[in-house]
Amino acid sequence: MSIPQSGGGPVERFEQLAEYLEAGCKPTDNWRIGTEHEKFGYCKDTLKPLPYDGPRSIKAMLEGIRDRFGWDPIEEQGNIIGLTKDGANISLEPGGQFELSGAPLETIHQTCDEVNAHLRDVQSVADDIGARFIGLGAAPEWTHDQMPMMPKGRYRLMTDYMGRVGTHGTQMMYRTCTVQVNLDFGSEADMVKKLRVALALQPVATALFANSPFFEGKVNGHKSWRSRIWRDLDPARTGTLPFVFEDGMGFQRYVDYALDVPMYFVYRDGKYINALGQSFRDFLNGELPALPGEKPTLSDWADHLTTIFPEARLKKFIEMRGADGGPWRRLCALPALWVGLLYDGTALDAAWDIAKGWDTQTREALRVAASVDGLQAETHGVRMHDLAREVVAIAEAGLKARARPGAGGMVPDETHFLNALQESIETGKVPADELLEKYHGEWGGDLYRIYAEYSY
């Protein structure tokens, strides 16, 4: 979840909302890669989630990283709730999921170095306090009652609201983890094409990174339970956004959509003011019940955009949101997949050629099938394994064309970051398949063995 936005004066013209998004347009040389990933922390001896406070806690993790590695604290109401350093942030999801929101970097070599350094730092502090971390799409056996709530006003409001609008909202908040990448666009037309490809092919990422076959101690019947959760969360702010594929799509069309998404809050003077279910359109007119007579600032608009959760999200960049959190070696594969598809023109064209003939029903059916069956999904005449093979090949060609060297020039491009996905293509197995094989085989149904074998 995002930290509060800042900067930007009052919204005085309706056009400023679209102009805010349009300001994200950048020349190709300025395109960057921002990788985000979440993981679950737990107590090494009890295997239960880390509480917020205490000697072995989320707070102790944040303070340890702050003191040992020179990060600056982010506080809310006197509680440390995040860290910042050199353009990167460490933040907390509602149940204490530990998230790195990486700095905008030029190459996947750099973003992978950043991820690896972060995980080493986390390991170092966790070892000292008796904690460990695990990368999965959903908590395998913890119940909702066992999860702590982080001391953030935003989460208190959201928890209450989620129970009113869907059946799985609090599961998403407290017991799921993802890996995401944020990518740039050059123009409105480039944004539209990239967002369409991102939404249409997001099920491929869901399938390849599926890593949540267990929930509350049981096999749940899905390769990605995290993806299943998102289908029954809040229809007003989730999904595959059919309007993006219609004629007339652009920044203003996304603004129109976002204005119809009910609000969560307004952030003022370090506090979250309850605006649950209220309308940003009313806010523009000075008629918001939560703040009568006040009009929004651009930071209020930026905050509102962070409360929208489609499979790919538009801000001043595009967020890819369909993948489960996972093991260390796969964290760099997610940005590699999307950079390969979207940051080379020939690859982007090839990716769109695959998806441009699909209708809304096909796109949604692929999303559902990917969550259930992973690479074995098949629907509307599309076999996910074949589709993933084609998509990964396009991404590989895109990375070769980018030709961004690493290791001081010893590595000619970024294609090796796709190795984990190539392995899945060859074997037909994604992380969830491996977990299920172990559970039904050598683990003998003992799900607790997941902690010993898959923790960082």
Side-chain angles (χ1 to χ4, degrees):
M1 298 281 178
S2 301
I3 61 175
Q5 305 297 298
S6 61
V11 177
E12 298 173 335
R13 297 176 295 106
F14 181 71
E15 293 78 13
Q16 285 177 266
L17 305 182
E19 290 167 1
Y20 173 85
L21 297 173
E22 188 175 15
C25 295
K26 297 179 179 67
T28 305
D29 288 348
N30 291 343
W31 290 356
R32 296 293 183 264
I33 305 162
T35 302
E36 304 181 19
H37 76 87
E38 303 160 1
K39 54 270 182 202
F40 294 108
Y42 65 92
C43 302
K44 188 175 180 179
D45 56 350
T46 66
L47 305 183
K48 299 305 178 188
L50 288 176
Y52 172 73
D53 210 348
R56 186 178 51 182
S57 65
I58 293 295
K59 181 179 180 181
M61 286 295 309
L62 291 172
E63 291 176 340
I65 293 174
R66 177 197 64 190
D67 297 342
R68 192 172 303 180
F69 302 108
W71 289 67
D72 294 321
I74 301 170
E75 295 187 352
E76 181 180 321
Q77 300 295 300
N79 293 307
I80 184 169
I81 49 96
L83 301 167
T84 183
K85 180 182 177 182
D86 299 333
N89 294 296
I90 295 172
S91 59
L92 304 177
E93 292 296 293
Q97 303 97 311
F98 218 70
E99 178 179 7
L100 173 71
S101 297
L105 300 169
E106 293 185 38
T107 71
I108 303 167
H109 305 289
Q110 293 170 340
T111 197
C112 200
D113 287 346
E114 176 190 57
V115 167
N116 290 336
H118 168 72
L119 292 176
R120 286 192 297 269
D121 293 351
V122 167
Q123 274 189 330
S124 172
V125 176
D127 286 345
D128 286 351
I129 68 170
R132 298 193 77 185
F133 283 82
I134 190 167
L136 296 165
E141 49 89 22
W142 301 330
T143 65
H144 179 75
D145 290 343
Q146 291 175 310
M147 304 306 298
M149 180 191 288
M150 297 300 101
K152 299 179 70 171
R154 172 180 178 138
Y155 297 157
R156 285 189 289 274
L157 292 173
M158 287 179 63
T159 298
D160 176 63
Y161 190 70
M162 287 292 185
R164 305 184 213 163
V165 296
T167 59
H168 289 69
T170 55
Q171 291 184 21
M172 177 279 292
M173 290 178 64
Y174 291 91
R175 291 184 285 168
T176 65
C177 284
T178 185
V179 54
Q180 299 177 188
V181 63
N182 305 325
L183 298 177
D184 290 315
F185 44 82
S187 65
E188 184 171 53
D190 186 46
M191 176 279 291
V192 171
K193 194 168 191 177
K194 285 175 174 172
L195 187 57
R196 286 173 173 170
V197 168
L199 287 164
L201 296 183
Q202 207 63 222
V204 177
T206 298
L208 283 168
F209 290 84
N211 191 34
S212 47
F214 309 116
F215 200 65
E216 295 191 346
K218 301 175 183 177
V219 175
N220 58 47
H222 288 68
K223 300 292 177 67
S224 174
W225 184 251
R226 184 203 58 82
S227 180
R228 167 66 185 89
I229 285 171
W230 279 105
R231 299 207 308 272
D232 280 303
L233 190 146
D234 181 350
R237 68 186 77 238
T238 60
T240 54
L241 306 186
F243 73 86
V244 170
F245 299 87
E246 297 172 356
D247 292 343
M249 173 58 191
F251 293 120
Q252 185 57 55
R253 182 66 185 86
Y254 195 88
V255 167
D256 294 339
Y257 155 71
L259 287 175
D260 288 332
V261 175
M263 293 177 65
Y264 278 157
F265 60 81
V266 181
Y267 189 74
R268 288 288 184 276
D269 301 321
K271 296 180 180 180
Y272 287 90
I273 298 171
N274 186 338
L276 291 170
Q278 297 177 26
S279 167
F280 207 95
R281 294 182 191 274
D282 290 343
F283 201 4
L284 290 170
N285 294 324
E287 300 172 354
L288 190 72
L291 287 174
E294 281 200 37
K295 291 191 176 183
T297 65
L298 279 175
S299 60
D300 293 327
W301 176 236
D303 275 333
H304 182 59
L305 292 174
T306 71
T307 69
I308 301 171
F309 310 123
E311 293 293 283
R313 177 164 70 182
L314 178 63
K315 295 196 282 191
K316 288 186 178 181
F317 45 83
I318 300 173
E319 294 182 356
M320 313 303 157
R321 300 173 51 82
D324 283 6
W328 194 320
R329 68 184 294 259
R330 293 182 82 88
L331 295 179
C332 303
L334 192 277
L337 175 68
W338 288 112
V339 167
L341 291 173
L342 302 190
Y343 271 11
D344 173 71
T346 300
L348 181 60
D349 288 342
W352 179 232
D353 283 342
I354 291 175
K356 65 184 180 183
W358 296 343
D359 57 17
T360 298
Q361 291 72 30
T362 301
R363 291 190 296 269
E364 185 60 27
L366 282 169
R367 179 191 180 201
V368 173
S371 74
V372 177
D373 293 320
L375 279 187
Q376 286 72 50
E378 187 169 353
T379 184
H380 286 63
V382 179
R383 294 183 68 246
M384 183 62 73
H385 197 165
D386 293 339
L387 174 60
R389 181 182 290 108
E390 189 173 3
V391 167
V392 171
I394 292 170
E396 182 179 24
L399 294 177
K400 284 183 179 177
R402 259 172 63 85
R404 298 297 180 92
M410 295 178 64
V411 179
D413 55 40
E414 301 156 309
T415 55
H416 66 284
F417 293 113
L418 293 172
N419 286 350
L421 305 187
Q422 300 281 16
E423 184 179 315
S424 287
I425 297 297
E426 292 170 8
T427 64
K429 297 177 181 178
V430 297
D433 295 306
E434 178 183 309
L435 290 172
L436 288 167
E437 283 184 0
K438 293 201 171 193
Y439 177 78
H440 292 298
E442 63 187 84
W443 293 355
D446 180 5
L447 187 51
Y448 287 96
R449 291 183 61 177
I450 199 170
Y451 296 103
E453 295 195 29
Y454 285 88
S455 293
Y456 300 147

